[in-house]
Structures are given as structure tokens and as C-alpha cells.
Amino acid sequence: MDAAGSQVADECAQYAGQFQNGFITTQGGNLLCSKIIHLITDNQVKSQVSQVLHECERKMYKSVAFPAIGTGQAGLSSAKVADEMLDAMVEFARQQPVQHLQKIKIVIFQTNMLTDFYESMKKREDSDSSITDSWLSMFKSCFWDRKQSFEKKKLMISEKKVDLVTFQICGENQEKVDATESWIKDLILKEQFENTISDEAIESFDETQISILEDLQREKQVTIQLLNNLSPPQIKISGISRDVCSVSLEVQEMVQQIKSSEEDQCKAELLYNLVEWRYLGRNNSFVAFDKKTNMQLEHAKVAKKLYLNVRIKQKNYRVDLNTLKATDDQGVTINLQRVTKDEGK
């Protein structure tokens, strides 16, 4: 509500007590959408999703984005919510010909919920219903590809070859030999350390990250295990204490980079369904920017920046965000467009 702004809060106050069918509709306020549908939580997730879908079709909206309804303060399990939300969507598609609503998004910020939605979606993919498949394809891209690619390709880290060191202990008697052996073992153990990193983002590790892990294992006095059969998957690092600490920091940085990248991809995808930036191409027709550049341009405009550097057809351009013109290094200028995709029209 804070992000939507005071206009939306005032509308909600105005319509308080006038809920029809368990929801009210307000303007989008500061959010990049034309309308916001506000629900009264009653733990009947399937019924509420169904009502919203029918309302969107009736109002001729082209797209709708849902949060994971009820998983916050209501405390519902994400597995139950996933099943009910997807059941409502599939039944909606079967009950009537859908003419207006073209895209459904489920926005999930908590990575631990992805598995539950993935499993629920996978059950429906196994169905022979063409209607089910076509509708699932509308909203599964944000987290489906990452799960499937990980399942198809179980990446492994090459086993490290360790050179063994043999101690031969000679002493005046067995007691002194045993004492020396115990002393050596204590020294070794004091230098040994093990750290385990658990995170859903490890599922997205590909050949690039595996290669980095193998390089770290060769260069440092550590062994690295990728335990991708666990949920969440883990990376176990063991070896000399100082090297375990340094390698752990590098792995955590890799995990954070992947999480940031995936979050940006989902944000760019959602934004692309609301606003589209274009540049003038051949034959005087406008061409859409890629989703990442689209998000950068929109963020720059919202931040009221004057200029932004972008790449168009492998060339550098400087975009004037006031005049919507882009100029390359040779002074050639092309026109840009910013098109708002109004859901209600």
C-alpha cells in the first residue's frame, strides 16, 4: 500500500464496507498497473483467485499478477496455496472461452516457495489436457526453466586428488609413540574446518559456476562437495581453515549474484508486460528493446535521469530521456517510443 501511494489508500478508505464479492478495485496509483484488486482474506484461495480471473475477463483486462495469496499474515502453507491457485486457473480456462485475459503472473519473492509451486505445476504438466498445458505456459517461465534445466543436468565437481603424507613415529616406548601420534592429530584437527552453504539459488549453478568451484578446489587446500540431491541444495567446503573461509566467501558471492540476476529477470519480465520501450528500426518500424534494457530505461525515467547509455545493434547510444532520442558515437540520431500497455484497454 505504501508503494501504491496515498491516492490508493484514500480510495480504499472511501470504499470501506462496500466490498462486493469479497473485493474492491482501485486505480493503480504509483504502481505500474492500471488497476489494483484488493481482496479480503478468508483463506478460500481458490475461490478468490477464480473471482479475480472472472472479473478481469469481464472488465477485458489483458493481464493480471497475483502474489502467493495467504502465505503472509494468514499463515497458509505455500504448497496448499499453490494447488488452490493453479486449480482455479485451470478451471477458469476450462469453463469458458477466454477472449481478453492473455497472461497470468504469479509473483514469488520467497525462494523457498518456488519448489511448492513447481511441484504443483509439474503435476499439471503430466496431464494430457491441452487446455491445461496452454494456460500453464502463460505464467511458468519465471521459475520453471530454472527447475527443469537443473533436473535434466546434475552437475558434479570433479573429485580432488589428495597426496597422502605418512608419518613414521619412533620412540623409546609405546606410551611416547602414542602421545606423539595424539599430538600430531591434534595439530592437524586444529587446522581443519568445514562449512556448509545451503541455498535454493545453488540449483541454478551451471558449467560456469562449477568450473569456478573446480578452480578453487585446485588452487586452495580444500575439497568441495556439491550436494544437489538435498532440499535446499548444499555446498560443503572442508580443508585448511583459512582457505575454507576464503572459498566460502567466494561461493556466497556467487550465490548472491545468481539470486540478484534471477530477481532482475523476474522484475524485467513483469515490467515488460506493463511498459515497452522501442527504437526506430528499418522500414520506419519500431523495434522493442530487450527486457533488461527496457527495465533500465524505465527505471532511469522514473528516477528522472536526463540520459542513459544503451546498446542498439552492437552500437553504443546515448538516450535523451526528455526528447526520447538516441545518438550514437558518430552523431546519428534515432527516435524512441515508450508505450504503456494499458491492461484496461
Side-chain angles (χ1 to χ4, degrees), residues 240-251:
I240 303 298
S241 299
R242 61 178 181 274
D243 287 348
V244 170
C245 291
S246 65
V247 170
S248 296
L249 290 175
E250 293 198 47
V251 171

Side-chain angles (χ1 to χ4, degrees), residues 94-283:
R94 286 175 174 165
Q95 288 173 359
Q96 63 178 47
V98 180
Q99 298 178 350
H100 305 289
L101 189 57
Q102 299 174 5
K103 184 170 291 188
I104 300 172
K105 291 280 185 181
I106 299 179
V107 182
I108 302 173
F109 292 106
Q110 299 88 344
T111 56
N112 60 307
M113 295 184 186
L114 290 176
T115 298
D116 291 324
F117 277 84
Y118 165 70
E119 293 296 338
S120 184
M121 193 177 291
K122 187 177 179 182
K123 287 187 294 187
R124 289 159 178 78
E125 191 194 37
D126 294 335
S127 168
D128 59 358
S129 169
S130 60
I131 295 178
T132 301
D133 290 342
S134 65
W135 269 78
L136 287 177
S137 66
M138 291 187 182
F139 54 82
K140 68 183 182 181
S141 60
C142 274
F143 52 90
W144 183 264
D145 293 339
R146 176 163 71 91
K147 287 282 189 176
Q148 280 203 327
S149 62
F150 186 70
E151 281 199 342
K152 291 177 182 177
K153 176 177 58 175
K154 297 294 185 182
L155 300 175
M156 301 296 294
I157 300 173
S158 301
E159 185 176 351
K160 183 173 185 175
K161 294 181 180 180
V162 179
D163 295 327
L164 298 179
V165 175
T166 302
F167 290 89
Q168 291 185 339
I169 306 171
C170 301
E172 296 178 359
N173 53 53
Q174 186 64 44
E175 182 179 350
K176 290 186 177 181
V177 169
D178 291 343
T180 302
E181 180 183 359
S182 178
W183 176 73
I184 292 174
K185 286 181 177 179
D186 286 343
L187 285 178
I188 294 173
L189 290 174
K190 286 179 181 178
E191 283 297 316
Q192 296 295 307
F193 185 65
E194 182 177 281
N195 186 35
T196 300
I197 299 172
S198 302
D199 201 290
E200 294 286 353
I202 295 173
E203 288 182 343
S204 296
F205 275 31
D206 58 19
E207 287 89 347
T208 301
Q209 285 77 36
I210 297 302
S211 177
I212 293 173
L213 292 177
E214 289 182 334
D215 288 342
L216 289 171
Q217 186 172 245
R218 280 191 296 269
E219 296 167 3
K220 305 289 186 178
Q221 296 297 313
V222 297
T223 58
I224 302 175
Q225 291 178 279
L226 177 60
L227 306 175
N228 51 22
N229 59 328
L230 301 179
S231 181
Q234 298 179 354
I235 292 178
K236 184 178 290 186
I237 308 161
S238 55
I240 303 298
S241 299
R242 61 178 181 274
D243 287 348
V244 170
C245 291
S246 65
V247 170
S248 296
L249 290 175
E250 293 198 47
V251 171
Q252 288 171 344
E253 185 176 347
M254 291 163 60
V255 168
Q256 187 56 48
Q257 287 175 350
I258 286 178
K259 292 170 75 170
S260 298
S261 176
E262 290 180 346
E263 184 178 345
D264 286 345
Q265 287 176 12
C266 282
K267 287 180 179 179
E269 178 73 26
L270 182 59
L271 185 61
Y272 190 75
N273 294 316
L274 302 172
V275 177
E276 185 175 284
W277 284 78
R278 305 168 180 171
Y279 62 89
L280 187 62
R282 295 180 179 177
N283 301 322

Side-chain angles (χ1 to χ4, degrees), residues 278-288 312-313 317 334-337:
R278 305 168 180 171
Y279 62 89
L280 187 62
R282 295 180 179 177
N283 301 322
N284 289 324
S285 60
F286 281 89
V287 180
I312 301 175
K313 294 182 178 180
Y317 281 82
I334 60 175
N335 293 326
L336 304 186
Q337 276 187 344

Side-chain angles (χ1 to χ4, degrees), residues 35-91:
K35 303 288 182 182
I36 303 174
I37 297 178
H38 305 262
L39 299 172
I40 300 177
T41 303
D42 61 4
N43 294 342
Q44 301 298 318
V45 175
K46 181 178 176 181
S47 173
Q48 289 189 313
V49 171
S50 179
Q51 289 176 345
V52 170
L53 292 174
H54 282 88
E55 176 71 3
C56 290
E57 179 67 11
R58 188 176 72 84
K59 293 287 190 178
M60 295 185 292
Y61 299 155
K62 295 180 181 179
S63 65
V64 61
F66 288 93
I69 298 174
T71 56
Q73 293 183 349
L76 300 180
S77 74
S78 54
K80 180 177 184 294
V81 168
D83 286 340
E84 292 199 17
M85 292 186 72
L86 296 182
D87 283 345
M89 293 171 186
V90 171
E91 289 184 10

